[in-house]
Amino acid sequence: FIIGGEGVRNKQVDCVIAADIICKPDDAVAAAKTCFDALKCGGEAFIICGDSKHRYGVEIFEKECTKLGLCVYTQDVKDLGMYDDTKEGLHLTAGYVEGMRLKFFHLKKR
């Protein structure tokens, strides 16, 4: 799904995968709208973001998705049981801050 220079849209997709896409409240609104526009009915998005202590706007992302009619499931990455396996690699990622918690969003378009 790409909006080209001429505003041309490609076909909607079944799946969106994204990480660290929200740094301010406007990003949360734009990310929700982009996921809604990009996904086919029945499509899903899998997004991981830093917590709102470190990434402003993450706290409103779920509400923005819900306003558009997306089904939203959220979970702390640590609760998914993957944190210990990835903790060392997290320190190598751009933007990671010690003590940051990561939040997993699973969106589904009805």
Side-chain angles (χ1 to χ4, degrees), residues 78-102:
K78 194 169 189 171
D79 296 337
L80 292 171
M82 301 182 324
Y83 185 77
D84 290 335
D85 295 337
T86 59
K87 188 175 180 184
E88 188 173 322
L90 288 175
H91 296 284
L92 303 175
T93 62
Y96 181 80
V97 178
E98 186 64 43
M100 179 185 283
R101 295 187 65 119
L102 300 175

PDB file of all heavy atoms in Angstrom, residues 78-102:
ATOM      1  N   LYS A  78       6.790  -8.019  27.271  1.00  0.00           N
ATOM      2  CA  LYS A  78       7.342  -8.875  28.334  1.00  0.00           C
ATOM      3  C   LYS A  78       6.353  -9.978  28.707  1.00  0.00           C
ATOM      4  O   LYS A  78       6.740 -11.102  28.981  1.00  0.00           O
ATOM      5  CB  LYS A  78       7.695  -8.028  29.556  1.00  0.00           C
ATOM      6  CG  LYS A  78       8.550  -8.741  30.553  1.00  0.00           C
ATOM      7  CD  LYS A  78       9.086  -7.783  31.598  1.00  0.00           C
ATOM      8  CE  LYS A  78      10.117  -8.480  32.449  1.00  0.00           C
ATOM      9  NZ  LYS A  78      10.820  -7.583  33.327  1.00  0.00           N
ATOM     10  N   ASP A  79       5.056  -9.670  28.690  1.00  0.00           N
ATOM     11  CA  ASP A  79       4.026 -10.654  29.019  1.00  0.00           C
ATOM     12  C   ASP A  79       3.864 -11.712  27.936  1.00  0.00           C
ATOM     13  O   ASP A  79       3.274 -12.764  28.173  1.00  0.00           O
ATOM     14  CB  ASP A  79       2.681  -9.972  29.267  1.00  0.00           C
ATOM     15  CG  ASP A  79       2.717  -9.057  30.480  1.00  0.00           C
ATOM     16  OD1 ASP A  79       3.580  -9.258  31.362  1.00  0.00           O
ATOM     17  OD2 ASP A  79       1.883  -8.135  30.537  1.00  0.00           O
ATOM     18  N   LEU A  80       4.358 -11.446  26.753  1.00  0.00           N
ATOM     19  CA  LEU A  80       4.278 -12.422  25.666  1.00  0.00           C
ATOM     20  C   LEU A  80       5.325 -13.527  25.817  1.00  0.00           C
ATOM     21  O   LEU A  80       5.318 -14.502  25.084  1.00  0.00           O
ATOM     22  CB  LEU A  80       4.482 -11.742  24.306  1.00  0.00           C
ATOM     23  CG  LEU A  80       3.374 -10.793  23.859  1.00  0.00           C
ATOM     24  CD1 LEU A  80       3.804 -10.030  22.613  1.00  0.00           C
ATOM     25  CD2 LEU A  80       2.087 -11.557  23.599  1.00  0.00           C
ATOM     26  N   GLY A  81       6.243 -13.358  26.772  1.00  0.00           N
ATOM     27  CA  GLY A  81       7.267 -14.365  27.003  1.00  0.00           C
ATOM     28  C   GLY A  81       8.438 -14.273  26.040  1.00  0.00           C
ATOM     29  O   GLY A  81       9.271 -15.158  25.988  1.00  0.00           O
ATOM     30  N   MET A  82       8.513 -13.189  25.277  1.00  0.00           N
ATOM     31  CA  MET A  82       9.589 -13.036  24.299  1.00  0.00           C
ATOM     32  C   MET A  82      10.686 -12.111  24.796  1.00  0.00           C
ATOM     33  O   MET A  82      11.745 -12.043  24.224  1.00  0.00           O
ATOM     34  CB  MET A  82       9.040 -12.456  22.982  1.00  0.00           C
ATOM     35  CG  MET A  82       7.980 -13.284  22.342  1.00  0.00           C
ATOM     36  SD  MET A  82       7.367 -12.647  20.752  1.00  0.00           S
ATOM     37  CE  MET A  82       7.376 -10.907  20.915  1.00  0.00           C
ATOM     38  N   TYR A  83      10.431 -11.373  25.861  1.00  0.00           N
ATOM     39  CA  TYR A  83      11.347 -10.329  26.290  1.00  0.00           C
ATOM     40  C   TYR A  83      12.725 -10.853  26.639  1.00  0.00           C
ATOM     41  O   TYR A  83      13.730 -10.309  26.205  1.00  0.00           O
ATOM     42  CB  TYR A  83      10.757  -9.570  27.478  1.00  0.00           C
ATOM     43  CG  TYR A  83      11.591  -8.399  27.904  1.00  0.00           C
ATOM     44  CD1 TYR A  83      11.573  -7.213  27.175  1.00  0.00           C
ATOM     45  CD2 TYR A  83      12.406  -8.468  29.021  1.00  0.00           C
ATOM     46  CE1 TYR A  83      12.339  -6.129  27.557  1.00  0.00           C
ATOM     47  CE2 TYR A  83      13.176  -7.390  29.408  1.00  0.00           C
ATOM     48  CZ  TYR A  83      13.139  -6.227  28.672  1.00  0.00           C
ATOM     49  OH  TYR A  83      13.911  -5.157  29.040  1.00  0.00           O
ATOM     50  N   ASP A  84      12.791 -11.922  27.424  1.00  0.00           N
ATOM     51  CA  ASP A  84      14.100 -12.435  27.842  1.00  0.00           C
ATOM     52  C   ASP A  84      14.930 -12.893  26.649  1.00  0.00           C
ATOM     53  O   ASP A  84      16.154 -12.762  26.646  1.00  0.00           O
ATOM     54  CB  ASP A  84      13.935 -13.584  28.840  1.00  0.00           C
ATOM     55  CG  ASP A  84      13.406 -13.083  30.176  1.00  0.00           C
ATOM     56  OD1 ASP A  84      13.605 -11.898  30.498  1.00  0.00           O
ATOM     57  OD2 ASP A  84      12.778 -13.887  30.891  1.00  0.00           O
ATOM     58  N   ASP A  85      14.269 -13.420  25.616  1.00  0.00           N
ATOM     59  CA  ASP A  85      14.986 -13.878  24.422  1.00  0.00           C
ATOM     60  C   ASP A  85      15.499 -12.725  23.578  1.00  0.00           C
ATOM     61  O   ASP A  85      16.462 -12.874  22.835  1.00  0.00           O
ATOM     62  CB  ASP A  85      14.065 -14.747  23.552  1.00  0.00           C
ATOM     63  CG  ASP A  85      13.670 -16.040  24.247  1.00  0.00           C
ATOM     64  OD1 ASP A  85      14.402 -16.480  25.148  1.00  0.00           O
ATOM     65  OD2 ASP A  85      12.625 -16.599  23.884  1.00  0.00           O
ATOM     66  N   THR A  86      14.857 -11.572  23.675  1.00  0.00           N
ATOM     67  CA  THR A  86      15.220 -10.451  22.806  1.00  0.00           C
ATOM     68  C   THR A  86      15.882  -9.295  23.553  1.00  0.00           C
ATOM     69  O   THR A  86      16.309  -8.343  22.938  1.00  0.00           O
ATOM     70  CB  THR A  86      13.969  -9.903  22.092  1.00  0.00           C
ATOM     71  OG1 THR A  86      13.024  -9.480  23.070  1.00  0.00           O
ATOM     72  CG2 THR A  86      13.351 -10.935  21.187  1.00  0.00           C
ATOM     73  N   LYS A  87      15.962  -9.379  24.863  1.00  0.00           N
ATOM     74  CA  LYS A  87      16.460  -8.257  25.662  1.00  0.00           C
ATOM     75  C   LYS A  87      17.823  -7.766  25.198  1.00  0.00           C
ATOM     76  O   LYS A  87      18.037  -6.569  25.065  1.00  0.00           O
ATOM     77  CB  LYS A  87      16.511  -8.646  27.144  1.00  0.00           C
ATOM     78  CG  LYS A  87      16.825  -7.485  28.047  1.00  0.00           C
ATOM     79  CD  LYS A  87      16.749  -7.887  29.497  1.00  0.00           C
ATOM     80  CE  LYS A  87      17.076  -6.702  30.378  1.00  0.00           C
ATOM     81  NZ  LYS A  87      17.099  -7.063  31.777  1.00  0.00           N
ATOM     82  N   GLU A  88      18.741  -8.671  24.935  1.00  0.00           N
ATOM     83  CA  GLU A  88      20.073  -8.259  24.508  1.00  0.00           C
ATOM     84  C   GLU A  88      20.010  -7.508  23.189  1.00  0.00           C
ATOM     85  O   GLU A  88      20.661  -6.489  23.006  1.00  0.00           O
ATOM     86  CB  GLU A  88      20.998  -9.461  24.381  1.00  0.00           C
ATOM     87  CG  GLU A  88      22.442  -9.053  24.136  1.00  0.00           C
ATOM     88  CD  GLU A  88      23.386 -10.236  24.180  1.00  0.00           C
ATOM     89  OE1 GLU A  88      23.192 -11.132  25.001  1.00  0.00           O
ATOM     90  OE2 GLU A  88      24.318 -10.235  23.369  1.00  0.00           O
ATOM     91  N   GLY A  89      19.207  -7.982  22.253  1.00  0.00           N
ATOM     92  CA  GLY A  89      19.071  -7.329  20.961  1.00  0.00           C
ATOM     93  C   GLY A  89      18.388  -5.976  21.038  1.00  0.00           C
ATOM     94  O   GLY A  89      18.643  -5.097  20.220  1.00  0.00           O
ATOM     95  N   LEU A  90      17.528  -5.777  22.037  1.00  0.00           N
ATOM     96  CA  LEU A  90      16.835  -4.502  22.179  1.00  0.00           C
ATOM     97  C   LEU A  90      17.815  -3.358  22.382  1.00  0.00           C
ATOM     98  O   LEU A  90      17.600  -2.250  21.914  1.00  0.00           O
ATOM     99  CB  LEU A  90      15.856  -4.543  23.352  1.00  0.00           C
ATOM    100  CG  LEU A  90      14.601  -5.375  23.147  1.00  0.00           C
ATOM    101  CD1 LEU A  90      13.801  -5.422  24.448  1.00  0.00           C
ATOM    102  CD2 LEU A  90      13.764  -4.822  22.026  1.00  0.00           C
ATOM    103  N   HIS A  91      18.892  -3.606  23.090  1.00  0.00           N
ATOM    104  CA  HIS A  91      19.874  -2.565  23.357  1.00  0.00           C
ATOM    105  C   HIS A  91      20.577  -2.099  22.081  1.00  0.00           C
ATOM    106  O   HIS A  91      21.171  -1.035  22.053  1.00  0.00           O
ATOM    107  CB  HIS A  91      20.909  -3.057  24.381  1.00  0.00           C
ATOM    108  CG  HIS A  91      20.303  -3.330  25.709  1.00  0.00           C
ATOM    109  ND1 HIS A  91      19.940  -2.345  26.593  1.00  0.00           N
ATOM    110  CD2 HIS A  91      19.937  -4.494  26.301  1.00  0.00           C
ATOM    111  CE1 HIS A  91      19.404  -2.876  27.674  1.00  0.00           C
ATOM    112  NE2 HIS A  91      19.395  -4.187  27.518  1.00  0.00           N
ATOM    113  N   LEU A  92      20.495  -2.896  21.032  1.00  0.00           N
ATOM    114  CA  LEU A  92      21.145  -2.555  19.771  1.00  0.00           C
ATOM    115  C   LEU A  92      20.223  -1.779  18.827  1.00  0.00           C
ATOM    116  O   LEU A  92      20.673  -1.260  17.823  1.00  0.00           O
ATOM    117  CB  LEU A  92      21.616  -3.840  19.067  1.00  0.00           C
ATOM    118  CG  LEU A  92      22.566  -4.725  19.869  1.00  0.00           C
ATOM    119  CD1 LEU A  92      22.846  -6.014  19.107  1.00  0.00           C
ATOM    120  CD2 LEU A  92      23.860  -3.980  20.171  1.00  0.00           C
ATOM    121  N   THR A  93      18.936  -1.706  19.163  1.00  0.00           N
ATOM    122  CA  THR A  93      17.986  -1.050  18.260  1.00  0.00           C
ATOM    123  C   THR A  93      18.044   0.457  18.410  1.00  0.00           C
ATOM    124  O   THR A  93      18.368   0.983  19.472  1.00  0.00           O
ATOM    125  CB  THR A  93      16.546  -1.528  18.514  1.00  0.00           C
ATOM    126  OG1 THR A  93      16.179  -1.172  19.844  1.00  0.00           O
ATOM    127  CG2 THR A  93      16.406  -3.016  18.311  1.00  0.00           C
ATOM    128  N   ALA A  94      17.698   1.133  17.338  1.00  0.00           N
ATOM    129  CA  ALA A  94      17.666   2.591  17.364  1.00  0.00           C
ATOM    130  C   ALA A  94      16.548   3.060  18.288  1.00  0.00           C
ATOM    131  O   ALA A  94      15.440   2.559  18.239  1.00  0.00           O
ATOM    132  CB  ALA A  94      17.433   3.131  15.961  1.00  0.00           C
ATOM    133  N   GLY A  95      16.862   4.001  19.148  1.00  0.00           N
ATOM    134  CA  GLY A  95      15.845   4.599  19.994  1.00  0.00           C
ATOM    135  C   GLY A  95      15.541   3.879  21.288  1.00  0.00           C
ATOM    136  O   GLY A  95      14.738   4.351  22.081  1.00  0.00           O
ATOM    137  N   TYR A  96      16.147   2.716  21.530  1.00  0.00           N
ATOM    138  CA  TYR A  96      15.871   2.001  22.770  1.00  0.00           C
ATOM    139  C   TYR A  96      16.523   2.725  23.933  1.00  0.00           C
ATOM    140  O   TYR A  96      17.657   3.169  23.854  1.00  0.00           O
ATOM    141  CB  TYR A  96      16.378   0.555  22.708  1.00  0.00           C
ATOM    142  CG  TYR A  96      16.082  -0.205  23.982  1.00  0.00           C
ATOM    143  CD1 TYR A  96      14.825  -0.723  24.214  1.00  0.00           C
ATOM    144  CD2 TYR A  96      17.054  -0.346  24.961  1.00  0.00           C
ATOM    145  CE1 TYR A  96      14.531  -1.392  25.395  1.00  0.00           C
ATOM    146  CE2 TYR A  96      16.780  -1.019  26.148  1.00  0.00           C
ATOM    147  CZ  TYR A  96      15.512  -1.535  26.353  1.00  0.00           C
ATOM    148  OH  TYR A  96      15.234  -2.187  27.520  1.00  0.00           O
ATOM    149  N   VAL A  97      15.776   2.873  25.028  1.00  0.00           N
ATOM    150  CA  VAL A  97      16.266   3.511  26.236  1.00  0.00           C
ATOM    151  C   VAL A  97      16.158   2.499  27.374  1.00  0.00           C
ATOM    152  O   VAL A  97      15.152   1.790  27.480  1.00  0.00           O
ATOM    153  CB  VAL A  97      15.404   4.753  26.574  1.00  0.00           C
ATOM    154  CG1 VAL A  97      15.863   5.400  27.864  1.00  0.00           C
ATOM    155  CG2 VAL A  97      15.423   5.743  25.426  1.00  0.00           C
ATOM    156  N   GLU A  98      17.167   2.432  28.211  1.00  0.00           N
ATOM    157  CA  GLU A  98      17.136   1.504  29.347  1.00  0.00           C
ATOM    158  C   GLU A  98      15.857   1.717  30.149  1.00  0.00           C
ATOM    159  O   GLU A  98      15.463   2.836  30.432  1.00  0.00           O
ATOM    160  CB  GLU A  98      18.355   1.732  30.252  1.00  0.00           C
ATOM    161  CG  GLU A  98      18.477   0.723  31.358  1.00  0.00           C
ATOM    162  CD  GLU A  98      18.709  -0.691  30.860  1.00  0.00           C
ATOM    163  OE1 GLU A  98      19.515  -0.879  29.933  1.00  0.00           O
ATOM    164  OE2 GLU A  98      18.076  -1.614  31.386  1.00  0.00           O
ATOM    165  N   GLY A  99      15.190   0.626  30.466  1.00  0.00           N
ATOM    166  CA  GLY A  99      13.951   0.698  31.230  1.00  0.00           C
ATOM    167  C   GLY A  99      12.698   0.827  30.369  1.00  0.00           C
ATOM    168  O   GLY A  99      11.593   0.797  30.888  1.00  0.00           O
ATOM    169  N   MET A 100      12.873   0.994  29.068  1.00  0.00           N
ATOM    170  CA  MET A 100      11.722   1.115  28.178  1.00  0.00           C
ATOM    171  C   MET A 100      10.969  -0.210  28.122  1.00  0.00           C
ATOM    172  O   MET A 100      11.566  -1.264  28.058  1.00  0.00           O
ATOM    173  CB  MET A 100      12.181   1.488  26.758  1.00  0.00           C
ATOM    174  CG  MET A 100      11.042   1.607  25.759  1.00  0.00           C
ATOM    175  SD  MET A 100      11.636   1.916  24.074  1.00  0.00           S
ATOM    176  CE  MET A 100      12.048   3.640  24.194  1.00  0.00           C
ATOM    177  N   ARG A 101       9.655  -0.109  28.175  1.00  0.00           N
ATOM    178  CA  ARG A 101       8.808  -1.292  27.991  1.00  0.00           C
ATOM    179  C   ARG A 101       8.201  -1.193  26.604  1.00  0.00           C
ATOM    180  O   ARG A 101       7.920  -0.101  26.121  1.00  0.00           O
ATOM    181  CB  ARG A 101       7.733  -1.345  29.051  1.00  0.00           C
ATOM    182  CG  ARG A 101       8.353  -1.527  30.448  1.00  0.00           C
ATOM    183  CD  ARG A 101       7.302  -1.756  31.474  1.00  0.00           C
ATOM    184  NE  ARG A 101       6.628  -3.018  31.201  1.00  0.00           N
ATOM    185  CZ  ARG A 101       6.613  -4.051  32.025  1.00  0.00           C
ATOM    186  NH1 ARG A 101       7.258  -3.980  33.160  1.00  0.00           N
ATOM    187  NH2 ARG A 101       5.959  -5.154  31.734  1.00  0.00           N
ATOM    188  N   LEU A 102       8.036  -2.335  25.983  1.00  0.00           N
ATOM    189  CA  LEU A 102       7.468  -2.359  24.635  1.00  0.00           C
ATOM    190  C   LEU A 102       6.043  -2.881  24.677  1.00  0.00           C
ATOM    191  O   LEU A 102       5.734  -3.813  25.407  1.00  0.00           O
ATOM    192  CB  LEU A 102       8.321  -3.243  23.725  1.00  0.00           C
ATOM    193  CG  LEU A 102       9.767  -2.800  23.567  1.00  0.00           C
ATOM    194  CD1 LEU A 102      10.532  -3.819  22.738  1.00  0.00           C
ATOM    195  CD2 LEU A 102       9.845  -1.426  22.932  1.00  0.00           C
TER     196      LEU A 102
END
